[in-house]
């Protein structure tokens, strides 16, 4: 189902995961945005991150 | 020399914030070298190379934050830590709202969210993008270093669900008039852009605005979309969406030359859509575009002009108040016969590529880190020779530091180095404005432009500084203010990269014959 054309008619509501400045820029333009305080899963331990992913 | 190390466990900041903090700290009195970062493998290697590591840092993980300093004289750690705190808090003040730790918890807070921008390190990007698509959210994936097979899988999921999957490595998009990541504030209008190049999308959208036209949407695809492996999935989706979009009257497709079979697929889709379409496959040939009834844009500017005219508007002249012939005559008087060479110092990769393609016809081979032919690759990327054009935003120059559109220090240093060469006739530069970019790119370069002029003067020569500013008056940096700063420093400003290149070509052709 095409969800792209319906998006063009909606107000943009953004979740920002990563660089905070992208959220700050959107906020400055009065765009609704929520910034995720992302950090590497399992403290950056890749083996542990893979295991966690399997559990999910 | 004294060294200091400070560590904060389980305190995460994003890389761009920290690299900019490092840059500011280097300016402090008494600081010889400093690195502020998360203890990723890359950062640990960097501090190791700088000789600033110790056992404590070696044992940290990617969620731990460290500061390591080498002092020129006596250390002044307290002052430096206060500065770090001030800089990090400054970065924080614009968004002191609630920040959840995961996408799922963010969606509890904003259950009608419709788009996710992802810019986490490449190796985590696929997981985050997949989560977003599975929650039926459109994605703009800014991160690079995502595997081709991961990109393909993400784009296939998006296609099956009817979602946007812009990227990986998608720097620019404008959706519903909102610039995302690196985007300019441009007029609303009837041209729908699908672009596999970030700065390509910025340049065409800005020129459309300068010509009096406007855009409906600008969909980014990421640079690999038109490769054989990905098969143009996102560009095909974009063409379909813009074909069905009532606001879009003309389509404008931008990419580096694609794989030939994918090009035919994309052009067939554009033709089937039935709306007029313009194609800028930078440096590609017109025949294949015209075979499918498309209009060929020889440069990004040419593509923008043709797109505006196809919407039924008469394109405004961008340089009506400039007498280029007079200007050229005046400028040529400043050069000595032995000044023959070009040094292009670019922050936008596509603009660098376009410059080389347009210039090679007139001046021959151009050395580069992203050369048009393998034999023109610079042996040492830090040493230019003859005609050279550098993409300072390429991975070669950005390990451990932000992109030069954010942090211009690599270009500042390089310009001073280039000024040591009395055979240089032209310095060609781009200044990219808009959200995401440095708040004052012209102001950051001006002192270095002035200093480089002094360096050349000491050698008894004067070079010409030619630039284009990719931006609008509505951008946060304001086009007119940025242009005024550069003009005041003696830089010749042309309204597009193609025009700056053409003006440079005239000078270099003249100098070659002297």
């Amino acid at each position: 189902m095409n969800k792209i054309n319906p998006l063009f008619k909606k107000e943009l509501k953004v979740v920002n995961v990563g660089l905070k400045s992208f959220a700050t820029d959107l906020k400055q333009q009065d765009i609704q945005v929520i910034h995720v305080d992302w950090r590497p899963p399992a403290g950056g331990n890749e083996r542990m991150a893979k295991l966690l992913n399997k559990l999910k | 020399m004294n060294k200091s190390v400070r560590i904060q466990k389980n305190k995460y900041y994003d890389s761009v914030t920290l690299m900019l903090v490092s840059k500011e700290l280097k300016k402090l009195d008494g600081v010889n070298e400093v690195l502020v970062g998360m203890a990723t493998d890359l950062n640990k290697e960097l501090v190791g190379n700088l000789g600033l590591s110790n056992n404590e840092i070696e044992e940290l993980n990617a969620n731990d934050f460290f500061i390591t300093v080498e002092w020129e004289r006596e250390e002044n750690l307290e002052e430096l830590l206060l500065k770090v705190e001030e800089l990090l808090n400054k970065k924080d003040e614009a968004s002191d709202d609630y920040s959840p730790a995961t996408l799922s918890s963010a969606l509890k807070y904003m259950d009608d969210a419709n788009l996710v921008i992802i810019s986490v390190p490449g190796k985590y990007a696929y997981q985050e993008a997949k989560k977003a698509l599975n929650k039926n959210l459109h994605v703009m994936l800014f991160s690079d270093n995502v595997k081709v097979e991961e990109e393909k899988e993400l784009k296939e999921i998006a296609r099956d669900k009817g979602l946007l999957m812009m990227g990986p490595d998608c720097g620019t998009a404008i959706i519903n008039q909102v610039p995302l990541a690196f985007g300019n504030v441009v007029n609303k209008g009837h041209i729908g852009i699908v672009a596999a190049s970030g700065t390509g999308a910025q340049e065409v959208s800005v020129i459309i605005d300068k010509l009096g036209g406007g855009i409906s949407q600008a969909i980014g695809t990421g640079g690999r979309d038109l490769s054989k492996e990905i098969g143009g999935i996102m560009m095909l989706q974009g063409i379909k969406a813009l074909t069905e979009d009532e606001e879009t009257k003309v389509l404008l497709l931008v990419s580096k030359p694609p794989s030939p079979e994918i090009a035919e697929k994309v052009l067939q889709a554009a033709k089937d859509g039935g709306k007029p379409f313009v194609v800028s496959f930078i440096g590609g040939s017109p025949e294949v575009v015209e075979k499918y009834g498309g209009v060929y844009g020889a440069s990004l500017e040419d593509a923008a002009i043709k797109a505006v005219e196809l919407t039924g508007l008469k394109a405004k002249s961008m340089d009506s108040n400039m007498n280029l012939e007079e200007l050229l005559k005046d400028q040529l008087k400043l050069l000595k016969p032995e000044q023959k060479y070009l040094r292009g110092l670019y922050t936008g990769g596509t603009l660098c590529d376009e410059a080389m393609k347009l210039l090679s016809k007139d001046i021959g081979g151009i050395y580069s880190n992203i050369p048009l032919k393998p034999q023109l690759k610079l042996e040492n990327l830090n040493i230019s020779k003859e005609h050279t054009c550098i993409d300072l935003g390429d991975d070669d120059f950005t390990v451990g530091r932000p992109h030069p559109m954010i942090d211009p220090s690599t270009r500042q240093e390089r310009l001073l180095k280039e000024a040591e060469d009395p055979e240089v006739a032209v310095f060609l530069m781009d200044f990219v404005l808009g959200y995401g970019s440095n708040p004052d790119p012209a102001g950051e370069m001006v002192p270095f432009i002035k200093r480089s002029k002094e360096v050349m003067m000491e050698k008894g020569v004067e070079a010409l500084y030619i630039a284009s500013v990719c931006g609008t008056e509505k951008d946060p940096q304001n086009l007119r203010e940025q242009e005024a700063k550069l003009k005041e420093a003696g830089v010749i400003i042309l309204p597009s990269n193609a025009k700056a290149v053409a003006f440079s070509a005239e000078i270099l052709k003249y100098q070659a014959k002297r």
Side-chain angles (χ1 to χ4, degrees):
Chain A
M1 203 189 97
N2 172 6
K3 299 184 186 75
I4 303 175
N5 291 85
L7 175 73
F8 293 164
K9 296 194 182 326
K10 283 183 193 158
E11 190 188 337
L12 215 55
K13 294 192 177 182
V14 181
V15 179
N16 183 56
V17 187
L19 303 177
K20 200 166 190 173
S21 55
F22 291 160
T24 313
D25 284 347
L26 288 170
K27 197 159 278 187
Q28 254 183 35
Q29 301 171 75
D30 290 326
I31 303 302
Q32 282 195 52
V33 55
I34 180 161
H35 177 69
V36 171
D37 190 15
W38 183 91
R39 50 183 67 201
N45 180 329
E46 281 176 52
R47 232 182 99 234
M48 193 63 85
K50 273 184 194 148
L51 284 173
L52 278 173
N53 253 325
K54 276 187 193 154
L55 290 176
K56 274 175 197 167
Chain B
M1 256 177 285
N2 297 324
K3 288 179 193 169
S4 317
V5 172
R6 266 301 158 94
I7 282 160
Q8 267 184 296
K9 287 213 160 209
N10 279 314
K11 188 82 193 156
Y12 188 82
Y13 298 99
D14 74 60
S15 56
V16 171
T17 301
L18 292 178
M19 287 188 271
L20 290 174
V21 170
S22 290
K23 185 187 158 213
E24 288 303 312
L25 295 180
K26 274 186 198 159
K27 295 179 189 161
L28 287 182
D29 211 24
V31 172
N32 204 15
E33 194 57 81
V34 59
L35 206 140
V36 179
M38 303 306 302
T40 58
D41 292 341
L42 175 73
N43 280 338
K44 284 194 224 172
E45 196 186 319
L46 272 176
V47 287
N49 292 343
L50 290 170
L52 292 178
S53 193
N54 66 9
N55 290 342
E56 237 183 324
I57 292 180
E58 282 303 315
E59 280 162 24
L60 298 177
N61 73 44
N63 269 336
D64 302 326
F65 166 66
F66 71 86
I67 305 168
T68 174
V69 202
E70 183 186 78
W71 303 95
E72 209 163 49
R73 295 180 299 275
E74 64 207 272
E75 59 182 85
N76 193 352
L77 191 61
E78 287 317 307
E79 192 193 323
L80 183 124
L81 291 175
L82 277 174
K83 185 78 186 168
V84 171
E85 208 165 304
E86 181 197 317
L87 289 166
L88 287 173
N89 289 336
K90 193 173 110 198
K91 290 277 161 200
D92 263 351
E93 76 193 9
S95 46
D96 39 4
D97 307 346
Y98 167 62
S99 284
T102 64
L103 175 63
S104 300
S105 39
L107 293 174
K108 282 180 198 145
Y109 196 72
M110 189 197 270
D111 60 3
D112 55 349
N114 41 34
L115 185 130
V116 185
I117 302 176
I118 299 167
S119 52
V120 300
K123 62 179 169 182
Y124 306 108
Y126 160 79
Q127 285 297 345
E128 295 298 324
K130 197 169 167 181
K131 277 185 221 163
L133 293 172
N134 284 336
K135 291 183 188 296
N136 288 318
L137 295 164
H138 299 279
V139 173
M140 174 173 186
L141 181 51
F142 180 82
S143 318
D144 57 3
N145 293 319
V146 173
K147 291 178 190 149
V148 179
E149 53 273 25
E150 292 176 341
E151 173 171 352
K152 189 157 191 210
E153 187 192 333
L154 292 171
K155 285 184 168 165
E156 282 169 348
I157 297 172
R159 180 181 57 197
D160 294 346
K161 285 175 166 273
L163 292 164
L164 288 171
M165 176 64 229
M166 299 187 283
D169 204 11
C170 175
T172 301
I174 304 176
I175 302 295
N176 303 350
Q177 307 305 313
V178 182
L180 302 172
F182 286 76
N184 301 86
V185 185
V186 299
N187 287 334
K188 188 176 179 179
H190 299 294
I191 299 168
I193 300 169
V194 194
S197 144
T199 36
Q202 288 192 271
E203 178 80 347
V204 289
S205 63
V206 159
I207 296 173
I208 288 168
D209 184 277
K210 287 179 183 175
L211 294 166
I215 71 147
S216 52
Q217 308 283 346
I219 297 171
T221 68
R224 275 193 314 224
D225 193 68
L226 297 188
S227 66
K228 209 171 158 190
E229 292 81 3
I230 306 295
I233 299 176
M234 192 60 234
M235 190 162 278
L236 292 168
Q237 290 290 100
I239 291 170
K240 194 163 159 255
L242 294 177
T243 299
E244 288 170 22
D245 176 43
E246 294 149 15
E247 291 298 313
T248 302
K249 288 186 187 165
V250 175
L251 270 64
L252 172 49
L253 312 179
V254 180
S255 166
K256 287 186 182 172
S259 132
E261 64 179 271
I262 307 304
E264 305 240 356
K265 220 164 133 185
V266 163
L267 293 168
Q268 183 66 50
K271 184 185 176 190
D272 292 346
K275 289 186 180 176
F277 66 100
V278 182
V279 179
S280 178
F281 287 156
I282 303 139
S285 69
E287 292 79 23
V288 63
V289 175
E290 284 159 5
K291 187 174 109 188
Y292 287 91
V295 176
Y296 172 75
S299 64
L300 293 164
E301 180 191 341
D302 187 41
I305 293 172
K306 286 172 175 164
V308 168
E309 286 175 347
L310 279 171
T311 62
L313 290 170
K314 186 166 169 5
K316 280 197 253 174
S317 165
M318 296 194 291
D319 51 6
S320 53
N321 53 359
M322 292 177 90
N323 186 339
L324 291 179
E325 256 172 65
E326 281 295 313
L327 184 64
L328 185 65
K329 254 194 255 168
D330 283 350
Q331 297 297 320
L332 287 172
K333 288 180 200 154
L334 301 173
L335 297 173
K336 296 201 164 154
E338 57 274 23
Q339 288 180 269
K340 304 224 177 274
Y341 297 120
L342 166 80
R343 295 295 147 85
L345 301 178
Y346 276 88
T347 61
T350 298
L351 298 177
C352 182
D353 192 49
E354 181 183 54
M356 292 193 292
K357 280 170 181 155
L358 296 173
L359 273 166
S360 302
K361 294 193 291 267
D362 290 321
I363 66 169
I366 301 170
Y367 289 94
S368 181
N369 59 326
I370 55 159
L372 299 182
K373 294 177 190 157
Q375 63 269 32
L376 292 169
K377 177 111 181 169
L378 283 173
E379 287 153 34
N380 180 342
L381 299 183
N382 296 315
I383 301 173
S384 302
K385 64 176 182 184
E386 298 172 19
H387 297 308
T388 295
C389 250
I390 306 276
D391 170 15
L392 293 159
D394 195 61
D395 295 347
D396 299 325
F397 295 100
T398 53
V399 175
R401 58 203 313 171
H403 193 280
M405 283 185 200
I406 302 173
D407 171 6
S409 42
T410 42
R411 182 156 75 173
Q412 293 167 339
E413 290 156 20
R414 185 73 180 226
L415 179 63
L416 291 184
K417 201 167 169 196
E418 300 295 349
E420 301 280 344
D421 182 351
E423 288 187 329
V424 175
V426 173
F427 292 114
L428 179 60
M429 288 183 274
D430 62 337
F431 290 85
V432 182
L433 313 185
Y435 284 100
S437 284
N438 185 286
D440 184 12
E444 291 256 16
M445 274 316 282
V446 162
F448 292 84
I449 290 169
K450 290 183 176 164
R451 177 78 197 109
S452 70
K453 287 189 168 192
E454 288 164 13
V455 173
M456 295 211 88
M457 279 296 197
E458 283 162 23
K459 294 185 186 292
V461 289
E462 258 182 276
L464 307 181
Y465 295 73
I466 300 171
S468 64
V469 184
C470 176
T472 73
E473 286 168 65
K474 299 169 285 275
D475 279 328
Q477 301 91 339
N478 192 311
L479 173 69
R480 296 290 163 236
E481 287 173 23
Q482 291 288 302
E483 286 184 338
K485 283 184 190 181
L486 293 168
K487 278 182 194 163
E488 199 269 324
V491 180
I492 303 163
I493 308 287
L494 279 299
S496 70
N497 186 47
K499 284 206 158 64
V501 165
F503 192 76
S504 305
E506 290 305 316
I507 294 162
L508 295 163
K509 277 193 289 185
Y510 178 83
Q511 287 299 102
K513 289 187 204 134
R514 282 179 81 181

